[in-house]
Amino acid sequence: MRKNSIKNTRINGEVLRELSNIIRGEIKDPRIAPMTSVVSVEVAPDLKTCKAYISVLGDEEAQQSTLAGLKSAEGYIRRELARSINLRNTPEITFIIDQSIEYGVRMSKMIDEVTKPAAD
């Protein structure tokens, strides 16, 4: 299976949806911030590994504690993923903090500051 095949894209979407449901509804770890979302998922063509890009609303400390909480719950998440999605192999999940949303908000604020008229 090629990296950008239709089958791989469909698997990525399904894993993204199920992973979001598991993180949002089933994990009770207090380290995981309530405003945690899965931005995108890249499942390898051989279905052995998976990179999950997550976005956490909060400061650096909240992001690091959420990442630690997700890493400690990785076995549970993988087991629930295997139960909900019928794949040949259940991928090993690597969680990566995605800064793109935060970066976009920061850039938008900077643009607004530059373009607003100077009030004398």
Side-chain angles (χ1 to χ4, degrees):
M1 178 170 61
R2 292 188 322 269
K3 186 172 173 76
N4 292 326
S5 68
I6 294 170
K7 182 179 177 185
N8 193 265
T9 305
R10 209 169 57 232
I11 289 172
N12 286 345
E14 192 69 23
V15 170
L16 174 80
R17 191 165 51 85
E18 288 301 323
L19 202 55
S20 296
N21 290 339
I22 291 168
I23 291 173
R24 186 174 4 96
E26 298 179 22
I27 296 180
K28 304 292 186 236
D29 193 331
R31 292 178 290 183
I32 298 174
M35 293 298 289
T36 301
S37 61
V38 182
V39 178
S40 69
V41 171
E42 291 178 7
V43 179
D46 62 354
L47 304 177
K48 298 260 192 257
T49 60
C50 166
K51 292 180 185 173
Y53 296 93
I54 60 166
S55 176
V56 180
L57 191 66
D59 58 350
E60 185 71 30
E61 185 180 330
Q63 291 178 353
Q64 294 308 318
S65 68
T66 298
L67 200 58
L70 288 172
K71 284 184 179 171
S72 72
E74 189 177 336
Y76 172 78
I77 294 170
R78 191 171 177 203
R79 189 168 53 250
E80 290 299 313
L81 199 60
R83 195 172 292 151
S84 61
I85 299 178
N86 187 18
L87 292 174
R88 189 178 334 117
N89 299 319
T90 303
E92 227 174 275
I93 304 165
T94 304
F95 293 102
I96 301 168
I97 295 286
D98 185 29
Q99 305 282 1
S100 63
I101 295 173
E102 190 177 315
Y103 178 77
V105 169
R106 197 169 60 241
M107 282 294 139
S108 179
K109 284 181 182 176
M110 289 176 147
I111 291 170
D112 290 344
E113 286 175 13
V114 170
T115 58
K116 76 176 178 185
D120 291 341

